């Protein structure tokens, strides 16, 4: 998951160590395509946490953030652009 720039700047810590910890809350292990969000209620994250998934009527939210653009190819997986950023 990745937030829009404006919401990320407001939510993300500036300390490098805290930022790395914060970013692990966005990473879900494995390839989870947007269509798969409609069949689950939770996603485990790299930091050991869980993000709640609510999906229906063609829309999905993950951790309370709306998925705006799903399945964006990245070098090491896929990105789902969300808004707003997940809180600290």
């Amino acid at each position: 998951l990745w937030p829009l720039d404006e919401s990320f700047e407001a939510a993300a810590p500036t300390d490098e160590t805290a930022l790395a910890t914060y970013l692990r809350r966005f990473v879900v292990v494995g390839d989870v395509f947007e269509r798969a969000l409609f069949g689950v209620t939770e996603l485990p994250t790299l930091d050991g946490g869980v993000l709640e998934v609510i999906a229906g009527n063609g829309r999905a939210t993950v951790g309370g953030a709306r998925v705006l653009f799903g399945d964006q190819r990245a070098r090491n997986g896929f990105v789902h652009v969300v808004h707003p950023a997940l809180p600290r």
Side-chain angles (χ1 to χ4, degrees):
L1 306 171
W2 201 256
L4 295 175
D5 289 343
E6 299 83 23
S7 65
F8 178 75
E9 289 172 6
T14 55
D15 171 78
E16 195 171 306
T17 302
L19 178 60
T21 300
Y22 172 73
L23 291 176
R24 286 185 186 94
R25 297 177 63 204
F26 286 100
V27 179
V28 175
V29 179
D31 290 336
V32 180
F33 294 98
E34 186 176 13
R35 69 180 175 271
L37 298 176
F38 291 83
V40 299
T41 58
E42 296 180 334
L43 293 172
T45 62
L46 192 59
D47 74 345
V50 175
L51 294 171
E52 178 186 35
V53 177
I54 300 172
N57 298 324
R59 292 185 171 181
T61 62
V62 179
R66 183 168 176 222
V67 177
L68 299 179
F69 307 103
D71 301 342
Q72 304 300 303
R73 187 80 169 123
R75 185 176 54 203
N76 60 348
F78 293 89
V79 173
H80 304 298
V81 178
V82 299
H83 182 75
L86 299 175
R88 285 187 210 188

